């Protein structure tokens, strides 16, 4: 490892010297963060009693989480450096002053522990006399703890992808065992005619076929589907997606913590708005606030060090912790469907990454941009290019996939000189071969 004096010189500090442009960038970042956080706090301040006081107590716990993370991260970073848990920022390999600087890894463990401490305090303060609420708190803590452990194991052991997909499924079992909400969905009006015939007051053939798997409510004229165990399976899939969506949408300073902070702020705003409408499920939205406010506070403390230029890396620990926290909030808050609206960028990134995730095209270990060879500086970047297997004829299926990638602007078309055998018919000799794929 590095000598002790190098570690001391490179540890995260709160008072990093910054240039004028860098300080202006930090000011803009702080203003943007305040603009995202302010609407939710303002709506909570306008709530009617007793919701305003209850939300204020939870906001105070969130502030405590921010202080814990912001204070402890520099200290824990020194221990990760001593344990040789550090990496080098591949996005700064074109900057000589930052190219070889070791950056402490897996610092997402600090906000995760801070969050768990905050939730334990909230459990003691708000649920010690409510057995049902105590069970809900315990299920949330078990699921989040499981994913924090998985994330830290991945940072240390580099687990395979099959483990990252299977273990989050196990982590959702405590949530599903304590889930007390509805398992039905409302069918959009344009689709109800496919399930129910108003003239004969019976189900259509499609509705009868669907009724063999789930329950189609005839009294509601096909407007409600009772999914039963299929809804529980849907929530399992949602939890798996949330935990991995944050992880694959990463690689840039502040991206993991930044997107989690934004999603958390919008969930806070959504819950506050629902409480302002005096919703019948106000206790579910208040529980969601109990979880999301400490999460936002701890994430903000981490973002202060993970913002560009990052002095700590969050690691997979934070990605899995953040994703499972969102899943817990959506499931126990009974708004799993609106939760998808907050994950639109992650959904777009997931569909965009399907060719690489499912091994249809080569996927490098780090999907990062690289510098131009001619003029290496931070403003001149290019895509990483992977070579596809060159074949004289790839068939219509392969051509269809490649044209799809090209329409998504992840592939480029190159004209190459090809050598054909004399036995190859002229009609089967391709003039163009797809050879380059932008990653």
């Amino acid at each position: 490892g590095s000598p002790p004096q190098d570690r001391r010189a490179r540890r995260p500090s709160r008072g990093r010297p910054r240039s004028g442009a860098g300080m202006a960038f930090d000011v803009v970042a702080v203003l943007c963060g305040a603009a995202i956080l302010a609407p939710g706090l303002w709506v909570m301040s306008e709530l009617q009693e007793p919701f305003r006081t209850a939300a204020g107590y939870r906001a105070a716990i969130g502030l405590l989480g921010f202080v814990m993370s912001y204070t402890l991260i520099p200290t824990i970073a020194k221990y990760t450096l001593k344990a040789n848990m550090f990496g080098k920022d591949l996005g700064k390999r074109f900057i000589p002053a930052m190219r070889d600087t070791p950056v402490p890894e897996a610092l997402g463990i600090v906000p995760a522990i801070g969050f768990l401490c905050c939730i334990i305090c909230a459990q003691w303060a708000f649920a010690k006399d409510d057995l049902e609420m105590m069970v809900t708190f315990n299920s949330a803590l078990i699921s989040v703890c499981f994913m924090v452990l998985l994330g830290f194991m991945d940072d240390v052991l580099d687990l395979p992808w099959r483990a990252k997909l299977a273990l989050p499924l196990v982590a959702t079992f405590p949530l599903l065992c304590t889930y007390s909400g509805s398992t039905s969905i409302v069918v959009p009006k344009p689709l109800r005619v496919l399930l129910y015939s108003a003239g004969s007051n019976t189900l259509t053939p499609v509705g009868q076929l669907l009724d063999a798997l789930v329950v189609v409510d005839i009294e509601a004229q096909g407007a409600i589907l009772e999914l039963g165990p299929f809804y529980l399976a849907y929530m399992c899939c949602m939890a798996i997606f949330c935990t991995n969506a944050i992880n694959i949408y990463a690689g840039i300073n502040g991206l993991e913590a930044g997107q989690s902070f934004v999603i958390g702020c919008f969930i806070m705003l959504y819950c506050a708005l629902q409480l302002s409408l005096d919703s019948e499920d106000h206790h579910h939205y208040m529980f969601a606030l109990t979880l999301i406010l400490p999460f936002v506070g701890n994430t903000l403390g981490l973002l202060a060090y993970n913002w560009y230029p990052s002095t700590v890396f969050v690691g997979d620990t934070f990605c899995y912790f953040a994703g499972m926290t969102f899943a817990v909030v959506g499931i126990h808050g009974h708004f799993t469907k609106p939760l998808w609206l907050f994950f639109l960028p992650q959904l777009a990134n997931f569909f965009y990454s399907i060719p690489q995730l499912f091994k249809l095209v080569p996927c490098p270990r780090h999907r990062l941009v690289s510098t131009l060879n001619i003029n290496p500086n931070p403003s001149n970047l290019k895509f990483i290019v992977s070579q596809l297997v060159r074949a004289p004829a790839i068939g219509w299926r392969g051509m269809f996939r490649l044209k799809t990638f090209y329409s998504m602007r992840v592939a480029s078309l190159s004209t190459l000189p090809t050598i054909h055998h004399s036995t190859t018919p002229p009609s089967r000799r391709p003039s163009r071969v797809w050879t380059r794929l932008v990653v």
Side-chain angles (χ1 to χ4, degrees), residues 111-304:
I113 293 177
F115 172 83
L116 294 175
C117 293
C118 290
I119 298 305
I120 292 173
C121 293
Q123 183 181 22
W124 178 83
F126 308 128
K128 60 181 178 181
D129 298 326
D130 189 339
L131 181 59
E132 182 179 355
M133 185 60 66
M134 185 72 72
V135 172
T136 304
F137 268 103
N138 287 336
S139 66
L141 286 171
I142 291 173
S143 296
V144 174
C145 282
F146 191 95
M147 292 310 300
V148 171
L149 175 62
L150 172 63
F152 195 73
M153 288 176 59
D154 190 23
D155 286 328
V156 176
L157 304 177
D158 194 15
L159 298 176
W161 269 104
R162 56 181 176 272
K164 301 177 186 180
L165 294 177
L167 293 179
L169 176 64
V170 180
T172 60
F173 290 164
L175 300 178
L176 302 182
C177 292
T178 57
Y179 178 71
S180 58
S182 173
T183 57
S184 61
I185 61 173
V186 178
V187 180
K189 288 185 178 180
L191 300 180
R192 294 175 187 176
V193 295
L194 300 176
L195 306 178
Y196 180 80
S197 176
S200 59
N201 198 25
T202 58
L203 295 178
T204 63
V206 177
Q208 295 176 3
L209 179 63
L210 192 60
D211 192 56
L213 300 175
V214 298
V215 178
V216 182
D217 193 344
I218 301 180
E219 296 181 358
Q221 298 182 352
I224 298 177
L225 295 180
E226 176 59 44
L227 300 183
F230 291 100
Y231 193 85
L232 301 180
Y234 150 76
M235 289 192 293
C236 285
C237 295
M238 186 195 70
I240 295 175
F241 172 81
C242 290
T243 54
N244 288 280
I246 304 296
N247 192 28
I248 66 174
Y249 199 33
I252 301 175
N253 288 175
L255 183 55
E256 301 95 323
Q259 64 179 311
S260 300
F261 174 74
V262 172
I263 294 174
C265 288
F266 275 98
I267 291 177
M268 178 182 66
L269 176 61
Y270 174 80
C271 294
L273 288 173
Q274 292 296 325
L275 290 173
S276 67
L277 299 175
D278 197 17
S279 173
E280 296 180 356
D281 294 332
H282 60 84
H283 55 287
H284 297 305
Y285 294 112
M286 188 58 69
F287 179 77
L289 273 182
T290 306
L291 296 183
I292 205 62
L293 283 170
F295 174 82
V296 169
N298 283 278
T299 302
L300 186 59
L302 174 64
L303 188 58

